[in-house]
Amino acid sequence: MGLSSRSAVAIHALTLLARWGGKSLTSAEIADSLESNPVLVRRILGSLRDAGLVWATEGRGGGWTLAREPRQITLHDAFAAVEPGPILSRHPHPPSAECEVGRNIQALLEVEFQDAERAMQERLGRTTIADLRQRVFDIERELGLKR
Amino acid sequence: MGLSSRSAVAIHALTLLARWGGKSLTSAEIADSLESNPVLVRRILGSLRDAGLVWATEGRGGGWTLAREPRQITLHDAFAAVEPGPILSRHPHPPSAECEVGRNIQALLEVEFQDAERAMQERLGRTTIADLRQRVFDIERELGLKR
DNA sequence: CGAACTGTAATGAGGTTAGTTACAGTTCGA
DNA sequence: TCGAACTGTAACTAACCTCATTACAGTTCG
């Protein structure tokens, strides 16, 4: 089935915050764009806050803002903040040490899986929130011209 | 938490089959190496059979053998056979079309996520079952010399 | 004080995973 | 031709995760 959709939600929220510049948005406003729930948003944005990607201010008039420039936040930053642990699962329990393959395969697979995960993360690290914001701008501008 | 451990099990089983050359192994023998259950093995090897990676022969004396040369089977082949669907989950439901970001983010993310998944799959495609078998041989030989 | 926020616990429905039991179907050898 | 040794599957379980929701305590500001 794959991983959770938290990365998609996180990237969406970060792009939304970037879209509105320094303006702070409430979890309810972000939830509106996601057609989701403010509590869900606060949980995911909470992870982003713990990772140093956003700020939250409490109380009346509070909300969320980016803690860094959009071009200093990559998709991998968002991914790593909300998706803990490895992507590819290892053996559910250690294989048999009696078997030539069993006693060696875990260490060999670990290297392969880490390399594969790293390749994905590197690719995610090449796109920034500023890139996504720019593309949203471009698409919207083009639509505006056609109208 | 990540994906299922089926890829690890599948790669383990394929390496085991490669280790024993053309000899056919029963699901019980493979399960012994995995310290797991024959039914689980048959389910996962069944996917590998559907993907054309292994053969199964039924009845007494039956079992499993590789359907291709070990160097013609990559870790990605095993992965793709047992792990259906995308790795990175998309939005749980479509975002708001009222929002500039909401109505564009899905298409933008789709490209990024597909690229990222492809990067991982490409890396998995660079290692073959023959590579793993060779490394098992090498490790075992080195241990043998030290003794 | 009270409205408008964040932070977080608790809960529930639905789905997936890993594992198991059970059993039907197939093959081969004695 | 019977029975042992296999594969192929269905059905079931406990544990866990995800997404969503309700509820409420804490914070801030007018």
Side-chain angles (χ1 to χ4, degrees):
Chain A
M1 192 199 59
L3 304 169
S4 79
S5 67
R6 286 193 296 271
S7 327
V9 171
I11 293 168
H12 181 139
L14 289 170
T15 308
L16 193 63
L17 288 172
R19 162 67 183 79
W20 294 102
K23 188 165 171 287
S24 117
L25 297 180
T26 68
S27 59
E29 289 169 322
I30 299 173
D32 274 350
S33 174
L34 282 158
E35 303 237 350
S36 181
N37 191 288
V39 176
L40 216 57
V41 170
R42 288 203 289 273
R43 270 208 293 263
I44 293 177
L45 279 267
S47 299
L48 299 183
R49 177 201 53 213
D50 295 346
L53 304 181
V54 299
W55 273 77
T57 63
E58 293 189 8
R60 182 179 181 141
W64 305 83
T65 44
L66 293 183
R68 297 190 211 159
E69 289 297 308
R71 44 173 302 189
Q72 303 294 336
I73 303 177
T74 70
L75 304 195
H76 173 246
D77 292 328
F79 174 84
V82 299
E83 206 70 66
I87 299 164
L88 297 159
S89 285
R90 279 57 171 173
H91 283 70
H93 44 67
S96 166
E98 314 296 312
C99 167
E100 254 184 45
V101 173
R103 64 173 165 255
N104 291 304
I105 193 74
Q106 279 189 299
L108 295 175
L109 257 195
E110 187 60 32
V111 174
E112 298 298 319
F113 280 9
Q114 277 184 17
D115 277 4
E117 290 167 4
R118 188 154 35 235
M120 196 183 100
Q121 289 166 4
E122 264 171 28
R123 176 58 190 80
L124 286 176
R126 286 208 191 94
T127 303
T128 68
I129 296 300
D131 294 332
L132 293 186
R133 177 183 56 179
Q134 185 59 48
R135 286 176 214 168
V136 168
F137 277 150
D138 291 348
I139 293 171
E140 289 290 323
R141 192 171 58 94
E142 196 162 338
L143 283 178
L145 290 178
K146 271 190 189 150
R147 227 184 309 113
Chain B
M1 190 201 59
L3 304 169
S4 79
S5 67
R6 287 193 296 270
S7 327
V9 171
I11 294 168
H12 181 139
L14 290 170
T15 308
L16 193 63
L17 289 173
R19 162 69 183 76
W20 294 102
K23 189 164 170 287
S24 116
L25 297 181
T26 68
S27 60
E29 289 170 321
I30 299 173
D32 274 351
S33 173
L34 282 158
E35 302 238 351
S36 180
N37 191 288
V39 176
L40 215 57
V41 170
R42 287 203 289 273
R43 270 208 294 261
I44 292 176
L45 279 268
S47 300
L48 300 183
R49 176 201 55 214
D50 295 345
L53 304 182
V54 299
W55 274 78
T57 63
E58 292 188 6
R60 181 179 182 141
W64 305 83
T65 45
L66 294 183
R68 296 189 212 159
E69 288 297 308
R71 44 172 303 188
Q72 302 294 336
I73 303 176
T74 70
L75 303 195
H76 173 245
D77 292 328
F79 175 83
V82 300
E83 206 71 65
I87 300 163
L88 297 160
S89 287
R90 279 57 171 173
H91 284 71
H93 43 66
S96 167
E98 312 295 312
C99 167
E100 256 185 44
V101 172
R103 63 174 164 257
N104 292 304
I105 193 73
Q106 279 189 299
L108 296 175
L109 257 194
E110 188 60 33
V111 174
E112 298 298 319
F113 280 8
Q114 277 185 17
D115 277 4
E117 289 168 3
R118 189 155 33 237
M120 196 183 100
Q121 289 165 5
E122 265 172 26
R123 177 57 190 81
L124 286 176
R126 287 209 191 94
T127 303
T128 69
I129 297 299
D131 293 332
L132 292 187
R133 177 182 56 178
Q134 186 59 47
R135 285 175 215 167
V136 169
F137 278 150
D138 290 347
I139 294 171
E140 288 290 323
R141 192 172 57 92
E142 196 163 337
L143 284 177
L145 291 178
K146 272 190 188 147
R147 227 185 311 113

